[in-house]
Amino acid sequence: MDSLILKIIFLVFFVLTGIIRKPYQREIKGNTIIDNRKTPLENGLLAFVLLGMFVLPLIYIVTPLFNFANYFLPIWANVLGILMFAIALYLFWRSHHDLGKNWSPTLQVRKDHTLITNGIYRSIRHPMYTSLWLWAMAQALLLTNWIAGLSGIITFGFLYFLRVGNEEKMMLEQFGEQYQAYRQRTKRLVPFIF
């Protein structure tokens, strides 16, 4: 598939994620934080993900700077990338929608925080992470460039593996046996599998 078309498709998905997240960012502004586990490492990981999933792809889309690192994929791989990003967008929206005022971009518990176990959370504990894994894989299939394409998998991988255990620990401390029972009946990322 033409590189320009793939770049435009990626850019459209990229903009849609911002549109999805914006109202939830506004909704949580007034919420009081009662447990904030945002550390310098957490801030660094978020900046690293910003670099790999936003900055490098945008540089690749608008400049020829990384063209020396382009690779070719068959059209079926590009189509798979489009489907993966579409599923990622749905999961991204659904997880924000189901969390509502409980959503936070970092490791925080807010006043009146409740454990969400309905909607998409009925099947998996971390659907937003699932959506971001799908996004990162779609990025590699749409932005056929060794730098911009793979940077999402690398940077999000670091964030995920260094953060998810801390997030689960925080939820266990906040919700105790209720979260433990929830963990036992759900999978982390993919229903019935993992």
Side-chain angles (χ1 to χ4, degrees):
M1 197 175 288
D2 184 274
S3 172
L4 180 59
I5 292 170
L6 294 173
K7 288 177 181 181
I8 291 169
I9 291 169
F10 181 86
L11 196 54
V12 167
F13 281 125
F14 176 83
V15 168
L16 288 173
T17 59
I19 291 169
I20 289 168
R21 181 163 273 183
K22 193 67 175 164
Y24 299 98
Q25 287 175 318
R26 280 194 303 263
E27 185 175 351
I28 65 166
K29 277 204 187 286
N31 292 358
T32 304
I33 298 167
I34 59 171
D35 185 0
N36 189 358
R37 300 192 186 190
K38 192 160 109 175
T39 64
L41 175 62
E42 171 91 0
N43 288 335
L45 289 170
L46 289 171
F48 194 47
V49 170
L50 181 69
L51 175 70
M53 295 181 83
F54 297 103
V55 175
L56 293 176
L58 287 178
I59 290 171
Y60 174 66
I61 288 169
V62 300
T63 75
L65 189 63
F66 300 144
N67 285 354
F68 69 92
N70 286 348
Y71 56 81
F72 175 79
L73 288 175
I75 199 163
W76 65 263
N78 303 142
V79 171
L80 179 61
I82 293 167
L83 291 173
M84 290 173 86
F85 218 143
I87 294 167
L89 268 179
Y90 170 76
L91 289 172
F92 193 75
W93 167 77
R94 189 74 223 190
S95 55
H96 278 82
H97 178 270
D98 291 346
L99 282 176
K101 65 181 180 163
N102 294 300
W103 172 74
S104 175
T106 60
L107 297 179
Q108 298 173 331
V109 175
R110 298 176 182 280
K111 186 178 177 191
D112 300 323
H113 197 111
T114 57
L115 178 62
I116 304 299
T117 60
N118 59 342
I120 194 71
Y121 289 88
R122 184 178 303 123
S123 305
I124 49 178
R125 294 191 305 275
H126 300 288
M128 197 166 309
Y129 289 152
T130 303
S131 76
L132 292 171
W133 274 120
L134 286 168
W135 171 340
M137 290 184 282
Q139 182 174 319
L141 296 172
L142 296 176
L143 302 181
T144 53
N145 181 274
W146 291 108
I147 297 168
L150 297 179
S151 62
I153 292 171
I154 294 165
T155 59
F156 179 70
F158 272 102
L159 176 112
Y160 175 79
F161 289 111
L162 291 173
R163 182 196 232 192
V164 72
N166 292 332
E167 187 168 334
E168 294 238 330
K169 180 181 176 196
M170 181 180 75
M171 297 300 284
L172 194 55
E173 289 171 6
Q174 179 68 25
F175 297 107
E177 290 180 20
Q178 184 184 11
Y179 190 73
Q180 184 61 35
Y182 174 63
R183 275 181 18 166
Q184 290 175 348
R185 68 177 183 269
T186 58
K187 296 297 182 183
R188 193 177 267 179
L189 295 172
V190 181
F192 313 110
I193 299 172
F194 174 72

